[in-house]
């Protein structure tokens, strides 16, 4: 497979919000959009997006995973950025129709079709720094993907950062491009200086999330992760993994966890840590870096519970296990 997210289907689904209403959906070329240089998004970052996947099952059917949750979050992000209210039914149809159009291009497992709905403010006005865009564009891109981590599934190295934040606290639950941009400088610095794969942002010792994924600590039969608030992204994969863990009889603790507790628990031989996300799925963490010292998580390898939960999620997505929670939506032929 090509590098994750660099190959796109030739067309995308697109609709625009003008004159206080949404236009009908069109299929247009995916390699360009028409945008005024003064568009609100280019100056004031009125943009949000989603990431979800479609999977090919052994019977040839194509199934989209947890689309309802992603559309709900998409609507929430749009609302919190004061973008025009999306039409959730229209967005659902846009996603299903564009996936159906390229059903034959959905890769076999372990690949999938990554789906990227995007909403941007388009009003040409550079005088609206303190006002929302009255018009917008919503499009759905498709990208066939393999593994997010080019080097394969190996335990990651995380730098624990107690001074910085991924984004402004009130923006954490918004899936906006600016949040990712603001996290880039410390991540690149950590890669260069201590060969970290990612930063785990822990402002004032409060363990939150990495630059692009939620964080989970696994201690025996218990999963510990920060309780939902506005400071970090409410991951759909995070919620899915927690439900699967409950289905397997595990204890789920959604609460605050400090860096001190994290390092203390990680020293135990049966402790595991992982990152969850649509792209990352569930990826093991083997090392924490804190105050110029390295701390091995458990035995430093991909732990059995992490791999069991990852496989359980994959089995549902690929149709190899029963979808007891109705997470999959079958795409019409």
């Amino acid at each position: 497979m090509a590098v994750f997210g660099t190959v796109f289907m030739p067309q995308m689904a697109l609709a625009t919000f003008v004159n206080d209403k949404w236009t009908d959906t069109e299929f247009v070329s995916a390699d360009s959009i028409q945008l005024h240089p003064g568009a609100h998004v280019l100056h004031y970052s009125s943009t949000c997006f989603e990431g979800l996947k479609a999977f090919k099952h052994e019977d040839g059917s194509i199934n989209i995973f947890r689309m309802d949750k992603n559309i709900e979050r998409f609507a929430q992000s749009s609302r919190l950025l004061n973008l025009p209210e999306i039409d959730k039914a229209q967005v659902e149809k846009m996603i299903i129709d564009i996936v159906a159009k390229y059903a034959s291009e959905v890769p076999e497992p372990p690949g999938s079709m990554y789906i990227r709905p995007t909403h941007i403010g388009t009003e040409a006005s550079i005088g609206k720094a303190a006002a929302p865009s009255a018009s917008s564009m919503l499009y759905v891109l498709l990208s066939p993907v393999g593994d997010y981590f080019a080097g394969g599934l190996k335990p990651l190295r995380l730098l624990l950062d107690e001074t910085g934040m991924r984004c402004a606290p009130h923006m954490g639950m918004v899936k906006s491009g600016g949040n990712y941009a603001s996290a880039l400088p410390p991540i690149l610095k950590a890669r260069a200086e201590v060969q970290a794969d990612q930063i785990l942002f822990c402002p004032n010792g409060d363990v939150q999330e990495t630059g692009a994924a939620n964080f989970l600590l696994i201690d025996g039969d218990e999963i510990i992760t920060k309780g939902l608030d506005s400071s970090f992204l409410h991951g759909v994969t995070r919620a899915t993994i927690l439900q699967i863990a409950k289905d397997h009889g595990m204890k789920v603790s959604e609460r605050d966890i400090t860096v001190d507790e994290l390092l203390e628990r990680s020293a135990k031989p049966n402790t595991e840590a992982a990152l969850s996300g649509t792209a990352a799925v569930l990826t093991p963490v083997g090392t924490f870096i804190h105050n110029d010292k390295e701390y091995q998580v458990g035995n430093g390898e991909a732990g059995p519970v992490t791999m069991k939960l990852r496989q359980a999620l994959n089995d549902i997505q690929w149709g190899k296990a029963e979808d007891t929670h109705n997470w999959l939506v079958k795409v019409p032929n």
Side-chain angles (χ1 to χ4, degrees):
M1 297 291 292
V3 175
F4 191 101
T6 59
V7 175
F8 298 95
M9 293 296 95
Q11 290 192 311
M12 62 182 178
L14 182 144
T16 57
F17 187 86
V18 288
N19 300 322
D20 294 323
K21 65 179 181 180
W22 286 100
T23 63
D24 292 338
T25 301
E26 299 177 88
F27 291 120
V28 301
S29 175
D31 65 1
S32 66
I33 55 175
Q34 186 172 351
L35 203 61
H36 191 282
H40 197 274
V41 62
L42 300 177
H43 300 268
Y44 307 118
S45 298
S46 51
T47 170
C48 60
F49 64 92
E50 273 303 319
L52 60 159
K53 288 178 177 176
F55 299 88
K56 179 174 286 185
H57 289 187
E58 286 184 359
D59 63 4
S61 67
I62 306 301
N63 297 264
I64 303 171
F65 189 71
R66 303 215 72 176
M67 178 171 57
D68 58 336
K69 292 287 286 184
N70 283 276
I71 292 175
E72 283 293 339
R73 190 172 64 182
F74 196 37
Q76 174 181 273
S77 293
S78 297
R79 204 159 42 242
L80 292 173
L81 289 172
N82 291 290
L83 281 162
E85 189 84 12
I86 70 169
D87 181 334
K88 289 186 281 190
Q90 182 179 18
V91 174
E92 178 177 330
K93 191 171 189 308
M94 290 172 75
I95 293 171
I96 290 173
D97 287 351
I98 194 67
V99 171
K101 184 177 180 67
Y102 291 107
S104 63
E105 301 292 333
V106 178
E108 299 283 346
S112 59
M113 184 66 81
Y114 193 90
I115 306 165
R116 175 55 63 93
T118 304
H119 191 192
I120 61 175
T122 56
E123 184 179 359
S125 173
I126 57 173
K128 280 197 156 187
S133 176
S135 61
S136 68
M137 177 186 297
L138 195 161
Y139 56 85
V140 182
L141 280 171
L142 297 185
S143 177
V145 297
D147 196 342
Y148 180 65
F149 295 100
L153 190 64
K154 60 181 181 181
L156 302 178
R157 293 165 53 83
L158 300 188
L159 175 67
L160 308 185
D161 182 350
E162 294 189 67
T163 57
M165 297 190 71
R166 177 174 178 261
C167 61
H170 68 284
M171 285 289 289
M173 62 195 292
V174 182
K175 196 168 177 67
S176 179
N179 290 354
Y180 294 81
S182 68
L184 269 179
I187 293 171
L188 295 177
K189 186 170 183 280
R191 286 178 185 166
E193 294 183 354
V194 295
Q195 293 74 57
D197 296 293
Q198 261 289 356
I199 284 183
L200 179 55
F201 291 97
C202 312
N204 300 313
D206 177 36
V207 177
Q208 294 186 348
E209 64 183 334
T210 68
N214 290 133
F215 175 77
L216 306 169
L217 182 68
I218 303 169
D219 187 351
D221 66 349
E222 181 182 14
I223 287 189
I224 306 168
T225 189
K226 183 173 174 62
L228 296 178
D229 63 26
S230 66
S231 68
F232 72 106
L233 193 64
H234 301 179
V236 176
T237 304
R238 170 193 177 278
T240 303
I241 289 294
L242 295 185
Q243 183 58 59
I244 291 173
K246 290 175 184 175
D247 294 345
H248 282 76
M250 295 183 68
K251 179 183 177 183
V252 172
S253 298
E254 296 184 73
R255 60 171 176 81
D256 289 348
I257 179 170
T258 64
V259 168
D260 289 342
E261 181 184 356
L262 178 65
L263 294 177
E264 181 182 337
R265 285 181 180 265
S266 68
K268 296 159 61 175
N270 65 338
T271 300
E272 304 171 31
L275 302 185
S276 68
T278 300
V281 188
L282 193 63
T283 301
V285 173
T287 305
F288 294 131
I289 306 162
H290 184 245
N291 292 340
D292 300 320
K293 185 177 178 182
E294 296 194 5
Y295 297 82
Q296 181 175 285
V297 182
N299 64 7
E301 300 299 322
V305 179
T306 298
M307 300 314 292
K308 180 181 77 171
L309 293 172
R310 178 187 170 97
Q311 190 62 52
L313 172 55
N314 283 156
D315 285 348
I316 296 169
Q317 292 172 330
W318 296 332
K320 296 178 179 179
E322 186 180 359
D323 176 23
T324 58
H325 298 287
N326 298 313
W327 286 335
L328 293 166
V329 173
K330 185 175 287 190
V331 175
N333 292 329

